[in-house]
Structure formats: C-alpha cells, structure tokens
Amino acid sequence: TSPFAWLRTRFYYLLIRLYFDQEFSIEEFTRGAKQAFSVVSKLLSQRKLDLLEELVSAEVLQVLKEKISLLPDSHRDALAADIDAIMYTTEGDVRIYYDDDGRKFVSILMCFWYLNGANLPDEVPGQAKVFQIVFGDESTKEKKHLLTANYEFQREFTEGAKPDWTITRIEHPRLLE
C-alpha cells in the first residue's frame, strides 16, 4: 500500500478509538477477521448458506445464494480457506459514516491471500500457481493456487446497537463472479 493510504487508515483507527470504541485494536480485529473469513469461506464452499445468517448481511446472503448454485465444483472448492493457509492479510479501505437516521457505522475492507489445492482448470485467469511439489516421482504432484478474497466488515456504533461486526461484501475474484 502507499504511504498515504497507510497513514489514512491509521488516522481512521485513531478516530475509531477516540469516538467509537476505546478498546479497538486493528491487530485484534485482523485476527477476528481472519477467523471469520476462514469460517465463512468454508461454509460457502460447503453450500451451508443457512449458517451464515448471523455473520453476513441479508443482501449479501441473497446474492450468494444465487451465485453459489451456479458455480462448478472446482470453483466452489477453491472458496474454502483454512486459517493456516492464509498467507497475507491487509486492510483495504476504512470508512466512518452516518446514515440519514443518524446511526453511526464503521466499515473495514480486508484483503486476504490464501493457498488452496482445489483442482482449478488452467484457463482460470488471475490465479497464480504457487507450488507444484513433486513427492517421490513425477506422477505424484500437489498443486496449490494463491487466491485472493475481499471481505468488508461493518459494525454499527449507535448507542444500543449490537456490538457485532457483519460481513457486507464478499468478493472472490475470478471464482465468485
């Protein structure tokens, strides 16, 4: 990320701590976001969308129901991210905003890079083959792909609102389009 973007996000984290949540920690948030990403991506892969109702917004869940049913098995398998297979995580955009009713929201976009061994066709653009390891002889190979995903987390900070983060955007480029 650029130095300007890094500085901007750190300024937003300071605002979150000063005006919304004095206990907010980006390190703790990132740990929780990684866990949520792993759980949600596995549930998507397994088509267990009914278990996502508490984690994902209703609008996103409706879109996912339509998209998941059309995915080939190889793409669906590639959605799953084991927490130990997450290679890199970074924050994207951070937003603080108020709606027309005066409710306060914070939104943080998280970008994940993860390894997955799904049997993706070679013509899938945009995915990178990271490992092709030979165990024993040439006939035994394990291929891993480095894939990306973007999940946006939103929390309402209005007094009396539940203190839960909800996923309001899920993108798995080239897989879930």
Side-chain angles (χ1 to χ4, degrees):
T1 59
S2 74
F4 175 73
W6 182 87
L7 191 59
R8 183 177 159 269
T9 58
R10 295 310 178 259
F11 176 70
Y12 275 113
Y13 298 148
L14 177 63
L15 291 177
I16 293 168
R17 277 194 300 276
L18 289 174
Y19 295 107
F20 298 105
D21 181 1
Q22 294 176 350
E23 304 296 317
F24 180 80
S25 157
I26 189 57
E27 293 81 14
E28 184 179 323
F29 175 83
T30 300
R31 277 193 297 279
K34 285 172 77 171
Q35 290 176 344
F37 166 61
S38 180
V39 168
V40 169
S41 68
K42 288 177 185 176
L43 291 173
L44 285 174
S45 176
Q46 299 165 358
R47 293 185 182 174
K48 294 182 178 177
L49 302 179
D50 53 321
L51 299 177
L52 296 175
E53 290 179 8
E54 296 294 317
L55 303 171
V56 178
S57 72
E59 298 84 12
V60 170
L61 193 56
Q62 184 59 41
V63 171
L64 289 172
K65 287 178 181 178
E66 296 168 12
K67 289 182 177 185
I68 292 292
S69 65
L70 302 173
L71 282 182
D73 289 343
S74 61
H75 284 77
R76 202 179 72 246
D77 292 343
L79 296 175
D82 187 60
I83 196 156
D84 295 330
I86 300 171
M87 301 282 85
Y88 184 70
T89 304
T90 188
E91 312 92 42
D93 193 26
V94 178
R95 295 183 303 141
I96 297 173
Y97 59 96
Y98 296 82
D99 70 3
D100 293 336
D101 298 325
R103 298 184 307 165
K104 303 180 270 190
F105 295 90
V106 171
S107 174
I108 302 174
L109 178 67
M110 296 297 293
C111 306
F112 303 96
W113 284 261
Y114 64 102
L115 289 175
N116 184 287
N119 187 20
L120 292 173
D122 289 336
E123 68 270 5
V124 175
Q127 55 87 24
K129 296 174 191 162
V130 175
F131 295 111
Q132 191 165 33
I133 304 169
V134 178
F135 296 101
D137 60 29
E138 191 65 28
S139 64
T140 310
K141 290 184 179 179
E142 181 183 1
K143 271 197 315 192
K144 296 273 186 175
H145 304 280
L146 182 63
L147 302 170
T148 62
N150 302 312
Y151 281 46
E152 183 177 62
F153 296 84
Q154 181 186 80
R155 179 175 166 195
E156 182 177 351
F157 281 94
T158 309
E159 189 173 326
K162 290 182 7 183
D164 298 331
W165 289 91
T166 303
I167 298 170
T168 55
R169 180 170 38 158
I170 294 178
E171 297 172 342
H172 283 263
R174 313 286 188 297
L175 295 174
L176 193 60
E177 293 184 338

